[in-house]
Amino acid sequence: MNLLEVKDLSVTFDTDERTVGVLDNVCIDVKPGETLGIVGESGCGKSVTSLSIMRLLPQPAGKITNGSVFFDGQDLLSLSKEDMRTIRGRKIAMIFQEPMTALNPVQRVGVQMMESLKLHRSDMSKEEQRQECEKLLDRVGIPEPRLRLTEYPHQLSGGMRQRVMIAMALLHVPDILIADEPTTALDVTIQAQILELIAELQKQSGMSVIFITHDLAVIAEISDRVVVMYAGRVVEQAKIKDLFENPRHPYTRGLLGSIPTLDGTPKTPLSTIPGMVPSFADMPSGCRFRNRCDYAQERCKTEVPALKETGDSHAVACHYWQHVAQSTST
């Protein structure tokens, strides 16, 4: 039984020139208590997927043109704005990628944190709300939490603002936590502390986590399954161990091949994926990765590869995934 099911999700954005497709039939699912990692280069659609689930796409430019998002049996796309507000923050919470734009610059940190408690926990007194906020700030590693509640976002460092966002998302211990690059602005020790806190809350409450990041090392450490996205499409998904040991899409293989290793020859140039991610305004026909792919053939220019199961909960969108798998094994 899946807690969250995203089926055939397509999203467009209106620009000054024309309408641009950003997501193309994205399908993901999350089970209760599971950590799902989503990886891919900048601009591949990871954050747009998470904003679509939360129904927070920029308006009026962003539009969901197809698909469904089911959470605990409810289609979130069919809910009214009022009903969605009762779920957002309480049932599904999100740590946003950029804390400076997510936090209100003219309101104190304490006011912003307590606003969520006022909405979802009206039974708590103001003092109880303040104490709860203090406790969370302390748990995410912010010194003098009582003082920080009285300060404005611009008085905090980038790392502290990020930790405030994490604390706000964890206030209610949601059923699903969507973490969009949650530790990017943090040093390694604080990063480890945050990951440990999320894992601890997950163990206590059975919370599910969608973890979006560029860091494959973090994904390998915390995820049960991983989804690889490229140019607005899901190109591969598998259990974490299977993906690292047996990647079946050339893009996934390229990502894993670019990770530096301790046993490599010193000063050896790192492996790279040639070319650039195509612009959403100028997508190639057929397979969107074909211009950067060593396995591309004539068929790839015209036929869009469907995401197909290839055994043992491993799915890949590639016409020639068997060749990739053979190359990996040899």
Side-chain angles (χ1 to χ4, degrees):
M1 178 67 179
N2 295 321
L3 181 61
L4 179 74
E5 288 187 5
V6 178
K7 295 182 179 179
D8 301 322
L9 183 67
S10 296
V11 172
T12 62
F13 276 78
D14 293 332
T15 67
D16 292 338
E17 290 78 24
R18 60 192 178 92
T19 299
V20 175
V22 178
L23 295 185
D24 183 25
N25 291 323
V26 169
C27 296
I28 62 173
D29 57 77
V30 183
K31 296 174 176 59
E34 179 183 44
T35 298
L36 178 74
I38 302 181
V39 297
E41 292 171 271
S42 295
C44 73
K46 304 186 301 294
S47 295
V48 174
T49 300
S50 63
L51 291 173
S52 300
I53 293 171
M54 298 290 287
R55 283 182 51 184
L56 290 174
L57 286 172
Q59 296 298 317
K63 296 182 179 67
I64 296 174
T65 57
N66 187 53
S68 59
V69 179
F70 279 90
F71 166 71
D72 202 17
Q74 280 186 306
D75 185 359
L76 298 184
L77 303 186
S78 67
L79 295 181
S80 65
K81 290 182 179 180
E82 291 73 21
D83 289 340
M84 191 63 204
R85 285 194 194 101
T86 64
I87 291 176
R88 193 187 296 128
R90 177 76 172 181
K91 296 287 187 178
I92 307 176
M94 183 170 175
I95 303 169
F96 292 90
Q97 188 172 5
E98 180 44 64
M100 199 56 207
T101 55
L103 290 171
N104 189 329
V106 298
Q107 284 193 338
R108 299 179 192 273
V109 169
V111 172
Q112 296 185 61
M113 291 188 71
M114 290 168 66
E115 183 178 3
S116 176
L117 289 174
K118 289 176 183 176
L119 178 64
H120 298 295
R121 296 289 303 277
S122 56
D123 57 308
M124 297 176 70
S125 67
K126 190 172 183 179
E127 180 59 24
E128 288 173 332
Q129 292 172 356
R130 185 187 60 75
Q131 290 176 359
E132 188 68 18
C133 292
E134 274 187 42
K135 184 171 69 175
L136 257 297
L137 290 184
D138 181 63
R139 291 188 74 179
V140 297
I142 292 184
E144 301 182 89
R146 177 169 293 194
L147 173 63
R148 303 307 173 197
L149 289 175
T150 67
E151 295 182 330
Y152 291 93
H154 73 269
Q155 294 176 281
L156 306 180
S157 68
M160 279 194 180
R161 289 196 295 266
Q162 185 68 7
R163 279 177 272 171
V164 168
M165 291 299 304
I166 293 169
M168 290 175 69
L170 295 176
L171 269 174
H172 303 289
V173 190
D175 294 335
I176 297 179
L177 173 67
I178 302 174
D180 190 357
E181 301 278 0
T183 57
T184 299
L186 308 179
D187 62 50
V188 177
T189 54
I190 296 297
Q191 181 182 96
Q193 183 180 339
I194 296 302
L195 294 178
E196 186 178 337
L197 173 60
I198 292 174
E200 180 187 336
L201 290 173
Q202 192 173 17
K203 187 176 181 181
Q204 291 174 355
S205 66
M207 174 178 69
S208 300
V209 177
I210 299 175
F211 203 96
I212 300 170
T213 182
H214 292 90
D215 194 332
L216 286 165
V218 172
I219 286 291
E221 182 180 342
I222 70 168
S223 298
D224 300 304
R225 288 189 302 122
V226 62
V227 167
V228 182
M229 293 188 68
Y230 182 81
R233 290 177 179 161
V234 173
V235 296
E236 188 165 6
Q237 55 183 344
K239 295 175 182 177
I240 189 68
K241 185 178 180 181
D242 193 21
L243 186 96
F244 273 73
E245 293 181 352
N246 186 25
R248 295 177 184 176
H249 194 281
Y251 177 60
T252 309
R253 190 174 184 228
L255 287 178
L256 295 174
S258 65
I259 302 174
T261 58
L262 292 174
D263 58 356
T265 305
K267 299 185 179 179
T268 301
L270 294 175
S271 174
T272 60
I273 302 174
M276 298 287 290
V277 180
S279 165
F280 283 114
D282 188 27
M283 283 291 172
S285 59
C287 176
R288 293 181 176 182
F289 187 65
R290 63 179 174 82
N291 293 334
R292 307 173 70 187
C293 181
D294 294 332
Y295 301 86
Q297 298 184 31
E298 198 65 27
R299 178 186 180 188
C300 304
K301 296 180 180 179
T302 56
E303 293 184 37
V304 177
L307 187 70
K308 293 182 178 179
E309 288 284 341
T310 59
D312 194 26
S313 301
H314 198 143
V316 62
C318 178
H319 297 307
Y320 302 103
W321 67 267
Q322 294 96 333
H323 301 306
V324 182
Q326 288 171 4
S327 300
T328 304
S329 62
T330 56

